[in-house]
DNA sequence: AGGAGATATCTGCATCTGCAGATATTTTTT
DNA sequence: AAAAAATATCTGCAGATGCAGATATCTCCT
């Protein structure tokens, strides 16, 4: 049976993904955050006061996981949790001053790792890669409800 | 602070990877195997009677995880575990008849998902992608011991 | 041969994660 | 307005995973 795991694209994709997660995570651990925390911080840098479900979408983290994560981050003083006025089921998550400082401290590290991952690829290739990854993601999207 | 998580390559890489894992895993679950089991089966299709550490390298699964995984797969009758003659620390893992049949049953499903992921990309682009992913992986490799 | 160090695997443990099912609140139906 | 359905978050649970530290065996040096 002909099957070459080492040439199988989903495997290669996973391998590269795990690799960068491992390296980056190691580097930010001393700052007291893991990958998921960083994703939340990064997402909040863009749109502050986001709800859990919005954050879940932005970070690709499951809402239940995110719920617990955000609780811990709030306890650590990185974010604030405020019950929404208009919808008391919802919680608005925002960066605290400390959280923002931490996020801004990590951004350059994240960019370093992106650069390290890309190595000597030129800008055009990088852009092509970004486009390809988005395409793959879209091809795999649960279902295109062409409503 | 300018940072766009949605354009950040490591994130995109992870997202695509998780997506295909989720879909593929869902599809093979009825067969009683998860992603890791499949990786082991696939690796064994190529080089039978591999040791744990070799399998760990081939599948990117941690040796301790793999140890437990292989024990379970042996209990399920998918693989055989044989203490090596020449080195009694080592264990040779091989596909059982049943394991091989299962592996060969999954191969076409795996290829389907690869195709689904690639969508309408032509062969040249696919090959380019494969090359890029390998490049990224190499750029991130722990350390190039150019011994 | 005897011991130090390397190697292969296994076990303990602590964490992360996601699904399924609660709970609380809002919106839509009737 | 009451009931039904939808929505946002949270909790219970059970499995996967990886690191660190055992354990067993082998290799090399003296």
């Amino acid at each position: 049976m002909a099957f070459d795991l080492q040439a199988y694209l989903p495997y290669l994709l996973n391998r590269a993904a795990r690799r960068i997660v491992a390296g980056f995570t190691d580097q930010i651990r001393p700052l007291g955050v893991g990958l998921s925390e960083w994703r939340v911080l990064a997402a909040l840098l863009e749109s502050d006061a986001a709800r859990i479900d919005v954050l879940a979408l932005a970070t690709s983290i499951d809402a239940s996981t995110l719920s617990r994560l955000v609780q811990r981050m709030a306890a650590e003083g990185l974010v604030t949790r405020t019950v929404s006025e208009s919808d008391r089921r919802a919680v608005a998550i925002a960066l605290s001053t400390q959280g923002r400082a931490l996020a801004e401290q990590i951004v350059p590290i994240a960019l370093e790792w992106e650069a390290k991952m890309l190595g000597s690829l030129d800008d055009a290739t990088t852009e092509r890669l970004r486009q390809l990854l988005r395409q793959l993601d879209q091809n795999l999207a649960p279902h295109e409800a062409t409503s």
Side-chain angles (χ1 to χ4, degrees), chain A:
Chain A
M1 173 65 61
F3 185 81
D4 183 358
L5 186 61
Q6 305 307 316
Y8 184 56
L9 283 162
Y11 174 66
L12 294 177
L13 196 62
N14 257 281
R15 193 146 61 96
R18 285 173 168 277
R19 193 94 92 175
I20 194 162
V21 163
F24 177 64
T25 300
D26 278 354
Q27 188 157 1
I28 62 176
R29 180 165 311 132
L31 300 175
V33 292
L35 180 68
S36 299
E37 284 89 341
W38 150 245
R39 288 235 187 99
V40 172
L41 293 175
L44 288 174
L45 271 181
E46 295 173 49
S47 73
D48 221 4
R51 296 188 332 191
I52 295 266
D53 60 345
V54 173
L55 272 184
L57 209 63
T59 59
S60 307
I61 298 172
D62 183 81
S64 72
T65 301
L66 202 48
S67 170
R68 281 181 267 250
L69 186 60
V70 161
Q71 282 176 40
R72 191 174 23 154
M73 290 175 73
E76 292 169 350
L78 296 177
V79 300
T80 59
R81 284 164 33 93
T82 316
V83 171
S84 164
E85 277 298 315
S86 54
D87 183 342
R88 289 193 334 234
R89 291 169 301 182
V91 183
I93 315 297
L95 286 172
S96 68
T97 307
Q98 184 192 342
R100 179 172 300 273
L102 181 58
E104 293 183 348
Q105 185 182 357
I106 297 176
V107 166
I109 300 178
L111 294 177
E112 265 173 43
W113 275 90
E114 185 180 46
K116 173 167 185 173
M117 176 179 104
L118 293 172
S120 56
L121 297 190
D122 60 69
D123 288 358
T125 307
T126 297
E127 199 42 55
R128 181 88 181 98
L129 176 62
R130 194 185 331 268
Q131 181 194 28
L132 276 172
L133 289 175
R134 283 188 165 133
Q135 183 63 59
L136 299 188
D137 187 57
Q138 193 138 52
N139 290 345
L140 295 165
H143 219 64
E144 292 150 49
T146 28
S147 59

